[in-house]
Amino acid sequence: MHVVYPAVVSALLFSIGVYGVLARRNTILVLMSVELMLNAVNLNLVAFDVWLRDRLHGGQVLTLFVIVIAAAEVGLGLAIILALYRNRRTVDLDRLRALAEPGASGPGDASGPDDDSGDGPAPDTSSAGAPRPESLASDTSPVTVPGADAGAPGRDGTTPGTVTP
């Protein structure tokens, strides 16, 4: 068999894989396209190893290493995708571009002049340190702090001694 046939098939597989990585929005399909590209490389390695009649079979040994690395990549990639799906409820790559958590305000949001952190507001936590449920976090009624001095309104217009959750 001539080396041109596996090389052409490998080039077609690699091209399909590149198209899948560049055009797909689903992370699972992108992962499958990367695997298709790795298999095209494996086909080239084995074809050229047979064509060159290598005594050590270096192409086939390298193919085994690529297969092992591809298996590890699939395991790690699927674990990352599952973690992203649990946190974001989507596997769409366009929606996963932002590094901030959904619903968190970033440094470009309108924050007060006293906010010097630049990272946006800290997440609301309850007394146990766990994040507060959305139903409780949306309550904006002021709470009176016992033992606080009731005085003139502060710079932000709120009265000292009241806290808005």
Side-chain angles (χ1 to χ4, degrees):
M1 178 163 78
H2 203 267
V3 76
V4 174
Y5 300 122
V8 169
V9 170
S10 175
L12 288 174
L13 284 175
F14 195 83
S15 300
I16 293 170
V18 168
Y19 173 75
V21 167
L22 295 177
R24 298 293 178 188
R25 301 190 190 282
N26 190 336
T27 53
I28 302 290
L29 293 177
V30 170
L31 194 63
M32 288 173 58
S33 298
V34 170
E35 289 298 317
L36 197 60
M37 290 167 42
L38 288 173
N39 285 330
V41 170
N42 286 341
L43 180 61
N44 256 342
L45 285 171
V46 171
F48 280 101
D49 182 59
V50 169
W51 183 61
L52 294 173
R53 293 183 182 92
D54 184 18
R55 290 185 186 181
L56 297 177
H57 300 291
Q60 294 178 21
V61 170
L62 192 57
T63 298
L64 289 176
F65 282 114
V66 172
I67 289 171
V68 168
I69 299 247
E73 176 250 340
V74 165
L76 186 62
L78 285 177
I80 291 171
I81 290 169
L82 284 174
L84 281 172
Y85 182 75
R86 286 181 185 159
N87 289 334
R88 304 280 179 97
R89 296 288 183 222
T90 184
V91 290
D92 187 13
L93 285 176
D94 288 337
R95 294 187 182 167
L96 297 176
R97 300 241 186 242
L99 293 177
E101 298 222 2
S105 61
D109 293 342
S111 358
D114 298 340
D115 186 19
D116 59 347
S117 66
D119 293 328
D124 292 330
T125 57
S126 64
S127 60
R132 294 179 62 185
E134 292 299 322
S135 61
L136 294 177
S138 65
D139 183 23
T140 59
S141 59
V143 177
T144 304
V145 178
D149 295 332
R155 285 191 311 174
D156 57 355
T158 60
T159 306
T162 60
V163 177
T164 305

